[in-house]
Amino acid sequence: MKKDFSLLTVALPSLLIAFPGFAAESEIKQRNTDKSTEVISDILSLSEIKLPATNAELLTQQSPQNEVNPVTQPETEQTPSDDPDISIEAIGEPDNLPQSTPTNVIDQEEIKKQGAKSLADILKRMPGFAINDVGHGADTHTGTYYRGASINQSVFLINGRPINNNVNIYHGGTDLNSIPVEAIERVELYSGTASALYGSSAFGGVVNIITKSGYGKPKLSASAEFGSLSLNNQQVTYGGSSANVQYNFSFERFFTDNRYRVPVGAANCDSQGFLSNADTATSTYFGSIGLDLDKKNSLNLDVTKLSSRRGLIYFGFPLQKDRLDHDGLNVGLSWKTRLGNGEGSNITTSIGYNQDYFSTYGPTGAFYRTGALDTQQLTARVEHDWKVSSNNKLRWGLDLKNTDLTGDVLSTDPTRIANNETEDRSLFNTALFAVNTWNIGENFLIDLGLRQSFDSQFGNYLNPSVGLRYAVTPIVAVRGSWAGGQRNPGLDQLYVYDTVHGWEPNPDLRPETGSTWSAGVDVNFSENLIGQFTYFGSSIGDRLGVIAGKWANIGLVDTNGFEAALQLKIASGWSTFLNYTYTDSQIKTGSEKGLQLGLIPYSVLQSGVGYQNAGWQANLYVTYNSGARRSIFANSSDKATDFAPSFVNLDLSGRIPLTSNLGLTVYLENLLGEQYERVNRIYSPGFTFRVGLSSNF
């Protein structure tokens, strides 16, 4: 499998050969930046420029008169206008993230062009992500990894507030396939030193979902979409502003029955040869109201409500009939204030409430089982973003989080009745955090981060981090980062019996501890070609897993990998990107010592080319996946070393303008029609389509 690393050396030269004229573009112009606020360098940090598969403009070109070169032009502050698409935060500067490690961003326009239906759809085209099961028939409990770290070893936020409740991957891991896109303005991906800001458990990274806010004249937008496998999806949004109030409200409904023929030996294949129990229905409500109190103070309230009903197919041998109900509620209120007369000192105070209710239930032969986890969190955060001096910025604050978990398990199976119980557990966590950024000279920047946690279950622990960035030449910058982390077991893993699998809790579990690091180079090959290359790694001890039907610390996993990302602007209206990620996550201890961690493919390559002009859009995406080691072995011939076969997927999306505010959208997925194995003998449906209408009023 490691030979797939060679794909990079083939793909990158091929991309450059295809467009030789851009290898000899004129030199990058010198940026005119303010020495008092940032490092003077021609190599922008990724919080300033947007790189492959993270930028809404990757497969979209603005009209020539409005086009801004992301390499040669400094960022400028937006000014109010009547454009209802513009969202401006009245108080405070843009998020002051550490610049020593990449900050990848994908926004609403690119989300729409991709045809993304969930957060999983969005993340799958970001560098470093391996999401094995997305789209038609996707199950909630499939492998999602960022740089070898699992979904529960990353932090997921809505507007800076946590939404994953640190429970195990089966019951309540963040359900990326149930988070819709209608309320999303953009998605940000952080790593490295930024983890000190949001949690010690961010071995992988931090995913921050920024929701929509209204601005300008009121606008109503709606869309309706239908497609293969009884898919139907309706969305409606109303937003705008009046005087000092901004508002945005939306609703989305999604359904698909996901019933299609599958190959012999597929998971959850019924007697007629069809995938069974894979239907999905979600409804989401979102609302936000922002109020500018005066020139220095603003308030914002946002509410997201999710209702999801689906079947489970992940452990589909024999035929699995379990169902999953997932209801979520996230409410947040934030107050932003500017201190003094300038913009160098801002305080943000926020409080949040997050509830996740997961219920799995279903028959097992003559018996019945159910398991429910109701997690409720109250969070509070005070953060000060302070420009201490012309070359020093400090971001520091306090996090408070209280978690209450109620777990109910019931089985009528005589062998499991003894485990029927109700557990009520609570956990309180406090953390002090700080990230200090120094500009040393004109071309060198260093970030130092600390996060001190106080946990009612696992005591006190300190997690440091460091990052640096140096502009070697006007077109090349190098960067590096290191961060220590600790992820504590979930309350359910400690105390709640898993009646679906028969997994026993273990109150003696130890936290996962370790560190992550990265080293990379950013290159401006020309005004039209930008490249980012990153080596990454991690070492995580006491990793959590299941041994002999009981949660346990299974040992050490070391990860090493490489990312490459290229963005090329071909011509007016045309652009393309290419991402490649190689991940080697090796188990160092236990019975599977020396094997690749299950569900993590060695190689993932993503590329796309797009065209936009006068409302017309066409975008072609290709994905290569080398196949991952299976984690479920259902057949007697299965071996622990078995990998799912590699596959190539091709998707085409487009928009045809019918009137000035009405468009026809078309998504053709899996054009090659291959029923490849996504994960653990769960197969794709082959070719599918979606057709819809979208409008703005």
Side-chain angles (χ1 to χ4, degrees):
M1 294 294 174
K2 295 185 180 181
K3 65 183 181 181
D4 293 304
F5 188 90
S6 62
L7 277 175
L8 178 66
T9 59
V10 175
L12 300 188
S14 298
L15 182 64
L16 298 179
I17 291 171
F19 308 102
F22 294 99
E25 286 288 342
S26 59
E27 295 183 357
I28 310 299
K29 297 180 180 179
Q30 184 76 15
R31 292 173 55 217
N32 180 19
T33 57
D34 184 353
K35 294 183 180 180
S36 67
T37 60
E38 63 177 325
V39 174
I40 297 180
S41 168
D42 293 309
I43 308 298
L44 310 185
S45 72
L46 293 188
S47 60
E48 298 174 284
I49 60 175
K50 298 174 182 179
L51 287 174
T54 64
N55 176 15
E57 298 177 2
L58 275 179
L59 300 182
T60 306
Q61 289 284 346
Q62 299 175 343
S63 58
Q65 62 269 28
N66 294 326
E67 188 173 3
V68 177
N69 189 307
V71 178
T72 60
Q73 298 294 333
E75 291 186 3
T76 57
E77 183 178 357
Q78 290 178 313
T79 56
S81 72
D82 293 330
D83 188 345
D85 291 327
I86 298 176
S87 174
I88 299 177
E89 192 171 68
I91 301 297
E93 298 175 323
D95 201 6
N96 180 28
L97 291 166
Q99 297 181 20
S100 56
T101 51
T103 300
N104 297 324
V105 180
I106 186 167
D107 69 15
Q108 185 186 58
E109 185 179 356
E110 176 65 15
I111 290 170
K112 288 182 177 180
K113 288 205 305 294
Q114 288 181 1
K117 302 180 295 299
S118 66
L119 181 60
D121 276 324
I122 298 171
L123 295 179
K124 72 180 182 181
R125 290 194 173 102
M126 281 189 166
F129 266 98
I131 302 180
N132 294 309
D133 202 9
V134 179
H136 295 290
D139 187 85
T140 62
H141 312 306
T142 52
T144 297
Y145 296 90
Y146 177 66
R147 294 181 174 178
S150 71
I151 187 173
N152 281 343
Q153 292 169 326
S154 297
V155 174
F156 287 80
L157 311 168
I158 286 184
N159 298 324
R161 304 186 309 273
I163 58 172
N164 56 336
N165 292 319
N166 197 27
V167 293
N168 77 55
I169 197 67
Y170 182 80
H171 273 119
T174 304
D175 184 1
L176 303 183
N177 291 309
S178 287
I179 299 177
V181 300
E182 178 56 28
I184 297 177
E185 177 66 29
R186 67 184 186 276
V187 177
E188 302 172 343
L189 173 62
Y190 319 141
S191 60
T193 314
S195 63
L197 297 173
Y198 294 108
S200 63
S201 61
F203 286 115
V206 178
V207 176
N208 193 11
I209 305 164
I210 307 299
T211 56
K212 294 178 182 177
S213 59
Y215 190 85
K217 296 179 180 178
K219 181 178 70 174
L220 175 67
S221 61
S223 66
E225 186 178 81
F226 302 90
S228 304
L229 310 179
S230 303
L231 181 145
N232 64 83
N233 186 19
Q234 297 86 41
Q235 303 176 359
V236 60
T237 299
Y238 180 74
S241 65
S242 176
N244 60 342
V245 179
Q246 303 94 40
Y247 51 89
N248 191 82
F249 306 97
S250 66
F251 168 74
E252 179 176 15
R253 176 186 177 275
F254 175 84
F255 173 80
T256 179
D257 67 11
N258 287 326
R259 183 166 171 79
Y260 54 88
R261 286 197 174 275
V262 290
V264 175
N268 249 48
C269 178
D270 65 17
S271 59
Q272 298 176 318
F274 285 84
L275 182 67
S276 176
N277 195 44
D279 56 290
T280 298
T282 61
S283 296
T284 305
Y285 305 83
F286 169 77
S288 72
I289 298 177
L291 176 64
D292 296 333
L293 302 176
D294 54 39
K295 292 183 178 181
K296 292 188 176 183
N297 294 275
S298 67
L299 287 174
N300 190 83
L301 173 69
D302 63 86
V303 181
T304 305
K305 178 71 175 73
L306 166 70
S307 177
S308 172
R309 302 292 180 266
R310 65 172 72 229
L312 298 180
I313 59 175
Y314 188 43
F315 301 93
F317 302 97
L319 196 66
Q320 186 174 353
K321 299 179 181 179
D322 289 279
R323 308 287 298 175
L324 172 67
D325 293 349
H326 175 202
D327 294 303
L329 175 64
N330 191 283
V331 182
L333 177 66
S334 64
W335 169 35
K336 299 186 179 183
T337 185
R338 180 179 296 150
L339 303 180
N341 297 321
E343 298 182 353
S345 183
N346 302 296
I347 290 181
T348 302
T349 304
S350 62
I351 57 174
Y353 170 77
N354 186 64
Q355 180 183 25
D356 269 315
Y357 175 79
F358 290 88
S359 177
T360 54
Y361 54 92
T364 55
F367 307 108
Y368 182 83
R369 63 190 177 196
T370 182
L373 291 177
D374 186 3
T375 309
Q376 300 184 57
Q377 282 186 343
L378 286 174
T379 61
R381 181 180 177 98
V382 179
E383 181 178 311
H384 185 200
D385 192 353
W386 182 23
K387 183 179 174 183
V388 182
S389 66
S390 60
N391 63 347
N392 183 215
K393 287 185 178 181
L394 175 65
R395 186 173 177 181
W396 66 287
L398 170 69
D399 271 333
L400 302 173
K401 180 171 66 175
N402 186 80
T403 304
D404 292 313
L405 173 71
T406 301
D408 288 301
V409 295
L410 173 67
S411 176
T412 61
D413 187 336
T415 63
R416 297 190 177 186
I417 286 178
N419 294 300
N420 292 344
E421 63 171 343
T422 297
E423 288 280 354
D424 290 300
R425 298 284 178 169
S426 294
L427 182 69
F428 184 72
N429 184 280
T430 304
L432 297 169
F433 62 87
V435 174
N436 206 346
T437 299
W438 281 280
N439 295 336
I440 303 173
E442 294 186 348
N443 300 315
F444 185 69
L445 173 149
I446 185 169
D447 295 311
L448 295 176
L450 287 175
R451 188 175 183 89
Q452 174 67 57
S453 299
F454 307 89
D455 192 275
S456 63
Q457 182 82 34
F458 294 100
N460 307 333
Y461 46 94
L462 177 68
N463 299 114
S465 60
V466 61
L468 56 86
R469 195 168 190 276
Y470 176 63
V472 181
T473 73
I475 62 171
V476 177
V478 295
R479 51 184 162 75
S481 68
W482 177 92
Q486 173 170 322
R487 189 184 85 86
N488 302 325
L491 288 172
D492 62 330
Q493 293 169 306
L494 292 166
Y495 303 114
V496 182
Y497 176 72
D498 185 340
T499 186
V500 175
H501 305 96
W503 294 343
E504 296 181 8
N506 184 352
D508 297 322
L509 291 174
R510 298 181 301 277
E512 297 176 333
T513 57
S515 60
T516 63
W517 56 87
S518 69
V521 58
D522 299 331
V523 184
N524 292 336
F525 294 103
S526 72
E527 292 187 2
N528 298 288
L529 180 60
I530 304 171
Q532 171 192 310
F533 308 93
T534 305
Y535 163 77
F536 61 86
S538 66
S539 182
I540 302 175
D542 283 329
R543 193 178 180 105
L544 295 171
V546 177
I547 299 177
K550 185 176 183 177
W551 283 103
N553 294 100
I554 63 175
L556 176 67
V557 175
D558 285 348
T559 297
N560 290 277
F562 177 75
E563 289 174 10
L566 291 174
Q567 174 189 342
L568 175 66
K569 291 188 175 182
I570 306 171
S572 178
W574 289 88
S575 60
T576 187
F577 75 90
L578 183 145
N579 297 329
Y580 174 79
T581 303
Y582 174 83
T583 308
D584 183 5
S585 290
Q586 190 173 122
I587 301 170
K588 292 296 186 178
T589 58
S591 60
E592 294 186 339
K593 181 180 179 180
L595 296 180
Q596 174 84 337
L597 200 64
L599 305 182
I600 301 179
Y602 280 112
S603 292
V604 175
L605 184 145
Q606 303 146 332
S607 185
V609 60
Y611 175 75
Q612 174 175 303
N613 184 36
W616 294 78
Q617 292 180 6
N619 305 279
L620 183 66
Y621 298 93
V622 60
T623 299
Y624 167 79
N625 187 304
S626 67
R629 190 171 73 90
R630 297 190 181 105
S631 65
I632 303 299
F633 309 103
N635 301 325
S636 58
S637 59
D638 285 347
K639 300 181 180 64
T641 55
D642 286 350
F643 276 69
S646 62
F647 64 84
V648 175
N649 184 73
L650 201 61
D651 297 332
L652 178 66
S653 67
R655 183 183 186 275
I656 302 172
L658 302 179
T659 68
S660 59
N661 58 5
L662 181 66
L664 174 68
T665 57
V666 179
Y667 303 100
L668 306 178
E669 298 166 316
N670 197 351
L671 291 173
L672 301 178
E674 178 185 357
Q675 280 201 281
Y676 52 82
E677 182 181 347
R678 293 191 289 209
V679 59
N680 285 329
R681 293 195 172 82
I682 298 174
Y683 291 84
S684 73
F687 172 76
T688 59
F689 71 91
R690 293 181 284 140
V691 178
L693 292 173
S694 61
S695 60
N696 296 296
F697 303 97

